[in-house]
Amino acid sequence: MQSSLISKVQKAQKYAQEPHRIHFEALTVRFDGDNNDHVIRLADGAWSCDCEFFMVWQTCSHTMALEKLLEGMVPVGSASAAG
């Protein structure tokens, strides 16, 4: 392995240990739900989900799960957007 590639692998390992340096600006995720699959998006600090619950409440178990999973990498209390 070339030395330049080795240094990039080492740098990647360092970054992976510092998740506070990572901030998602946009994200699209397919969530395998118990009954149906859902598409969840984070764009401009706002979550959206195509499930019926989100359309009424502007939050749902899918967006809450992703907020928990990505804690520290997405804005706290990200605004919701119908979606």
Side-chain angles (χ1 to χ4, degrees):
M1 194 181 297
Q2 294 183 353
S3 63
S4 60
L5 183 55
I6 291 171
S7 68
K8 294 299 181 189
V9 170
Q10 291 170 336
K11 194 172 190 177
Q13 290 173 336
K14 177 182 179 244
Y15 285 162
Q17 295 172 3
E18 301 173 340
H20 63 278
R21 297 177 72 158
I22 300 167
H23 308 280
F24 288 92
E25 294 182 6
L27 177 69
T28 300
V29 176
R30 189 194 81 222
F31 197 106
D32 297 335
D34 290 338
N35 300 308
N36 297 303
D37 292 351
H38 296 285
V39 176
I40 297 92
R41 290 186 172 85
L42 175 65
D44 298 323
W47 288 103
S48 65
C49 181
D50 64 0
C51 76
E52 291 181 26
F53 192 90
F54 187 91
M55 291 178 194
V56 173
W57 296 96
Q58 303 302 298
T59 192
C60 64
S61 57
H62 312 111
T63 59
M64 288 187 274
L66 287 171
E67 287 177 319
K68 181 144 185 76
L69 182 67
L70 300 172
E71 190 171 359
M73 291 187 237
V74 296
V76 176
S78 295
S80 297

